[in-house]
Coordinates of all heavy atoms in Angstrom, one line a residue:
I1 N 0.8 -1.2 0.0 CA 0.0 -0.1 0.0 C 0.9 1.3 0.0 O 0.6 2.2 -0.8 CB -1.0 0.0 1.2 CG1 -2.0 -1.1 1.0 CG2 -1.7 1.3 1.4 CD1 -2.8 -1.4 2.2
T2 N 1.9 1.4 0.8 CA 2.8 2.5 0.9 C 3.5 2.6 -0.4 O 3.7 3.8 -0.9 CB 3.7 2.4 2.1 OG1 4.5 1.3 2.0 CG2 2.9 2.4 3.4
A3 N 4.0 1.5 -1.1 CA 4.6 1.6 -2.3 C 3.8 2.2 -3.4 O 4.3 2.9 -4.4 CB 5.2 0.3 -2.7
A4 N 2.4 2.0 -3.3 CA 1.5 2.4 -4.4 C 1.0 3.8 -4.1 O 0.3 4.3 -5.0 CB 0.4 1.4 -4.5
S5 N 1.3 4.3 -3.0 CA 0.6 5.6 -2.5 C 1.6 6.8 -2.7 O 2.7 6.8 -2.3 CB 0.1 5.5 -1.1 OG -0.4 6.8 -0.7
A6 N 1.0 7.9 -3.3 CA 1.9 9.1 -3.4 C 1.6 10.0 -2.3 O 2.0 11.2 -2.4 CB 1.5 9.7 -4.8
V7 N 0.8 9.7 -1.4 CA 0.5 10.5 -0.2 C 0.9 9.8 1.1 O 1.0 8.6 1.1 CB -1.0 11.0 -0.2 CG1 -1.3 11.8 -1.4 CG2 -1.9 9.8 0.1
P8 N 0.9 10.5 2.2 CA 1.3 9.8 3.5 C 0.1 8.7 3.8 O -1.0 8.9 3.6 CB 1.2 11.0 4.5 CG 1.4 12.2 3.7 CD 0.8 12.0 2.4
V9 N 0.6 7.6 4.4 CA -0.2 6.5 4.8 C -0.1 6.3 6.3 O 1.0 6.2 6.9 CB 0.2 5.2 4.0 CG1 -0.8 4.1 4.5 CG2 0.2 5.4 2.5
N10 N -1.3 6.2 6.9 CA -1.4 5.9 8.4 C -1.8 4.4 8.5 O -2.5 3.9 7.8 CB -2.4 6.7 9.0 CG -2.5 6.6 10.5 OD1 -1.7 7.0 11.3 ND2 -3.6 5.8 10.9
G11 N -1.0 3.7 9.4 CA -1.3 2.3 9.6 C -2.2 1.9 10.7 O -2.1 2.4 11.8
D12 N -3.1 1.0 10.4 CA -3.9 0.3 11.5 C -3.0 -0.7 12.0 O -2.8 -1.8 11.5 CB -5.1 -0.2 10.9 CG -6.0 -0.9 11.9 OD1 -5.6 -1.2 13.1 OD2 -7.2 -1.3 11.6
L13 N -2.4 -0.5 13.2 CA -1.4 -1.4 13.9 C -2.0 -2.2 15.0 O -1.2 -2.7 15.8 CB -0.2 -0.6 14.3 CG 0.5 0.4 13.2 CD1 1.6 1.1 13.7 CD2 0.9 -0.6 12.0
E14 N -3.3 -2.3 15.0 CA -3.9 -3.2 16.0 C -3.5 -2.8 17.4 O -3.4 -1.5 17.7 CB -3.6 -4.7 15.7 CG -4.0 -5.2 14.4 CD -5.5 -5.7 14.3 OE1 -6.2 -5.4 15.3 OE2 -5.9 -6.2 13.3
D15 N -3.1 -3.7 18.3 CA -2.7 -3.4 19.6 C -1.1 -3.4 19.7 O -0.6 -3.5 20.8 CB -3.2 -4.4 20.6 CG -2.7 -5.8 20.5 OD1 -2.2 -6.1 19.4 OD2 -2.8 -6.6 21.5
G16 N -0.5 -3.3 18.6 CA 1.0 -3.3 18.5 C 1.4 -4.7 18.4 O 2.7 -4.9 18.5
Y17 N 0.6 -5.8 18.2 CA 0.9 -7.1 18.0 C 1.7 -7.7 19.2 O 2.7 -8.4 19.1 CB 1.7 -7.3 16.7 CG 0.8 -7.1 15.5 CD1 0.8 -5.7 15.0 CD2 -0.1 -8.0 15.0 CE1 0.0 -5.4 13.9 CE2 -0.9 -7.7 14.0 CZ -0.9 -6.4 13.4 OH -1.7 -6.2 12.3
G18 N 1.3 -7.3 20.4 CA 1.8 -7.9 21.6 C 1.6 -7.0 22.8 O 1.4 -5.7 22.7
E19 N 1.4 -7.6 24.0 CA 1.1 -6.8 25.2 C 2.3 -6.0 25.7 O 2.2 -4.8 26.0 CB 0.6 -7.8 26.3 CG 0.4 -7.1 27.6 CD -0.2 -8.0 28.7 OE1 -0.9 -9.0 28.3 OE2 0.1 -7.8 29.9
P20 N 3.5 -6.6 25.7 CA 4.7 -5.9 26.3 C 5.0 -4.6 25.5 O 4.9 -4.6 24.4 CB 5.9 -6.9 26.1 CG 5.1 -8.2 26.1 CD 3.9 -7.9 25.2
P21 N 5.4 -3.5 26.3 CA 5.7 -2.3 25.5 C 6.8 -2.4 24.5 O 6.8 -1.8 23.5 CB 6.3 -1.4 26.7 CG 5.4 -1.9 27.9 CD 5.3 -3.4 27.7
D22 N 7.8 -3.4 24.8 CA 8.9 -3.6 23.8 C 8.4 -4.1 22.4 O 8.9 -3.9 21.4 CB 10.0 -4.4 24.3 CG 9.6 -5.8 24.8 OD1 8.4 -6.0 24.9 OD2 10.6 -6.6 24.9
E23 N 7.3 -5.0 22.6 CA 6.7 -5.4 21.3 C 5.9 -4.3 20.5 O 6.0 -4.3 19.3 CB 5.7 -6.6 21.6 CG 6.3 -7.9 21.9 CD 7.1 -8.4 20.7 OE1 6.7 -8.3 19.5 OE2 8.3 -8.9 21.0
V24 N 5.4 -3.4 21.2 CA 4.7 -2.3 20.6 C 5.8 -1.4 19.9 O 5.6 -0.9 18.8 CB 3.9 -1.4 21.7 CG1 3.2 -0.3 21.0 CG2 2.9 -2.3 22.3
A25 N 6.9 -1.2 20.7 CA 8.0 -0.4 20.0 C 8.5 -1.1 18.8 O 8.9 -0.3 17.8 CB 9.1 -0.3 21.1
K26 N 8.6 -2.4 18.8 CA 9.1 -3.1 17.6 C 8.1 -2.9 16.4 O 8.6 -2.7 15.3 CB 9.2 -4.6 18.0 CG 9.7 -5.5 16.7 CD 9.8 -6.9 17.1 CE 10.2 -7.8 15.9 NZ 10.3 -9.2 16.2
T27 N 6.8 -2.9 16.7 CA 5.8 -2.7 15.7 C 6.0 -1.3 15.1 O 5.9 -1.1 13.9 CB 4.4 -2.9 16.3 OG1 4.2 -4.3 16.6 CG2 3.4 -2.5 15.2
I28 N 6.2 -0.3 16.0 CA 6.4 1.1 15.4 C 7.6 1.1 14.5 O 7.6 1.7 13.5 CB 6.5 2.1 16.6 CG1 5.2 2.1 17.4 CG2 6.9 3.5 16.0 CD1 4.0 2.5 16.6
R29 N 8.7 0.4 14.9 CA 9.9 0.4 14.0 C 9.7 -0.2 12.8 O 10.1 0.2 11.7 CB 11.1 -0.2 14.8 CG 11.6 0.6 16.0 CD 12.9 0.1 16.5 NE 12.7 -1.2 17.2 CZ 12.5 -1.4 18.5 NH1 12.4 -0.3 19.3 NH2 12.4 -2.6 19.0
L30 N 8.9 -1.3 12.8 CA 8.5 -1.9 11.4 C 7.7 -1.1 10.6 O 7.8 -1.1 9.4 CB 7.8 -3.3 11.9 CG 8.7 -4.5 12.4 CD1 7.7 -5.5 12.9 CD2 9.6 -4.9 11.4

């Protein structure tokens, strides 16, 4: 989706794919 888009894209990142804060941080980096 981002590769096809010429405008900024906001992601639906669920709950960060994990309860621990470090998993949420990993999701943001991804």
Side-chain angles (χ1 to χ4, degrees):
I1 291 171
T2 59
S5 177
V7 301
V9 181
N10 184 75
D12 180 349
L13 304 178
E14 303 273 11
D15 69 340
Y17 295 92
E19 177 178 332
D22 60 346
E23 281 299 318
V24 180
K26 179 180 179 180
T27 294
I28 296 298
R29 289 191 290 270
L30 289 170

